[in-house]
Amino acid sequence: MKIGEFAELAGVSKRTVDHYTNIGLLEPERSASGYRFYGKADLEKILLIEQKKTEGLALEEIKAELGATPLQTDSAELIGKKMETIQKELDEVLHLLKKTDLDQAAIKLEISHEKLAMLQSILHLFS
Amino acid sequence: MKIGEFAELAGVSKRTVDHYTNIGLLEPERSASGYRFYGKADLEKILLIEQKKTEGLALEEIKAELGATPLQTDSAELIGKKMETIQKELDEVLHLLKKTDLDQAAIKLEISHEKLAMLQSILHLFS
DNA sequence: CCTCCAAACTGTCACGTGATGGTTTTATTA
DNA sequence: TAATAAAACCATCACGTGACAGTTTGGAGG
């Protein structure tokens, strides 16, 4: 179901669902056009989230707590997505490193040249 | 100067300065307690940002445009932060990989075992 | 002059809001 | 029935808002 129906069923605002999605608490499917699709599992999850909130937990804490187990189902896809994210970020960093003096960066980051080089190799493996 | 004075001089709200800071458009110094300190350079920068905005540019575009050069000064810190983020995410992924069948993950991710092993090595280098 | 305190200031969190620009669904009209 | 126009829905951007908690600072009293 789309965000409107989902939010109503969950008893929260669309903006709340939006927020949870942005911070990665909910991970809906996406249509080709970008529309989010939430399922029954998401519904159970958000109800649990609202429960935890009344217990005084912060969203990030809830995320950590929930992130520990419910990944058995579709962990492969999830890992795939995470890999994409990480790859993008590695790209960013390497981009920065190229614009900077590599040696100086290494010094300030307290990382050895080998590790930096290693990082670069890894990136090549994934691209 | 602190955010209040800075925002006033720039002719924008504190929230706007806050926003720019959150998305990395401004990178103020921080006191031990976390207070942000903006300097003269930041002032010139934010005025330029406001200018670019009137030209219809999005903040991310402005960031990209400005990001091309002004990183010489504090790029090390920036990279450091990114490294932290990436490290956390790598941790997450490896955590996931441990809970999953490594071989199956490799298959579904279309990544060779060597690359996965490599990833694990890298993680050890940074932890 | 030093101490203590309230007022002013600040950061972060968890959304809210209005504008803009696509997408989907529904209704209408040819 | 197919094309199209209108209405409803959705995503993202750029902040705004209110609550809460920690920080800084200008006095008041000792």
Side-chain angles (χ1 to χ4, degrees), chain A residues 68 71 76 79-80 82-83 86 89-90 92-93 96-97 100 108-109 111 115 118-119 122 125-126, chain B residues 68 71 75-76 79-80 82-83 86 89-90 92-93 96-97 99 108-109 111 115 118-119 122 125-126:
Chain A
L71 298 169
I79 292 175
K82 296 229 172 203
M83 294 288 268
I86 292 177
E89 296 186 317
L90 276 174
E92 270 189 61
V93 170
L96 285 176
L97 287 178
T100 312
K108 292 193 183 172
L109 290 169
I111 295 172
K115 288 181 183 180
M118 199 78 169
L119 230 187
I122 279 290
L125 285 178
F126 287 98
Chain B
L71 294 170
S75 56
I79 295 175
K82 297 229 171 203
M83 293 290 267
I86 293 177
E89 298 186 316
L90 275 175
E92 271 188 61
V93 170
L96 287 175
L97 287 178
K99 297 200 167 186
K108 293 193 182 171
L109 290 169
I111 294 171
K115 287 181 184 179
M118 199 78 169
L119 230 186
I122 280 289
L125 286 177
F126 285 99

Side-chain angles (χ1 to χ4, degrees), chain B residues 62-81:
Chain B
I62 298 175
K63 187 182 170 187
E65 210 173 288
L66 268 56
T69 39
L71 294 170
Q72 278 90 356
T73 44
D74 45 13
S75 56
E77 293 168 53
L78 214 160
I79 295 175
K81 280 182 192 172

Side-chain angles (χ1 to χ4, degrees), chain A residues 15-112:
Chain A
R15 173 60 177 136
T16 297
V17 175
D18 183 38
H19 185 52
Y20 293 176
T21 306
N22 285 334
I23 66 174
L25 245 177
L26 292 173
E27 299 174 58
E29 310 280 308
R30 293 275 183 163
S31 76
S33 60
Y35 276 32
R36 302 146 170 169
F37 286 104
Y38 301 88
K40 195 182 151 199
D42 294 312
L43 193 52
E44 289 171 26
K45 187 168 180 180
I46 197 171
L47 293 176
L48 207 154
I49 291 169
E50 295 307 308
Q51 173 57 35
K52 295 281 177 188
K53 270 206 306 184
T54 68
E55 294 169 17
L57 294 186
L59 295 181
E60 280 303 322
E61 295 174 327
I62 298 175
K63 187 182 171 188
E65 210 174 286
L66 267 57
T69 40
L71 298 169
Q72 279 91 354
T73 44
D74 45 11
S75 53
E77 293 167 53
L78 216 159
I79 292 175
K81 281 181 190 172
K82 296 229 172 203
M83 294 288 268
E84 274 184 48
T85 308
I86 292 177
Q87 193 171 335
K88 276 184 198 167
E89 296 186 317
L90 276 174
D91 276 333
E92 270 189 61
V93 170
L94 276 216
H95 198 63
L96 285 176
L97 287 178
K98 273 171 197 161
K99 296 201 169 183
T100 312
D101 181 347
L102 259 184
D103 294 344
Q104 283 204 323
I107 292 169
K108 292 193 183 172
L109 290 169
E110 293 172 27
I111 295 172
S112 71

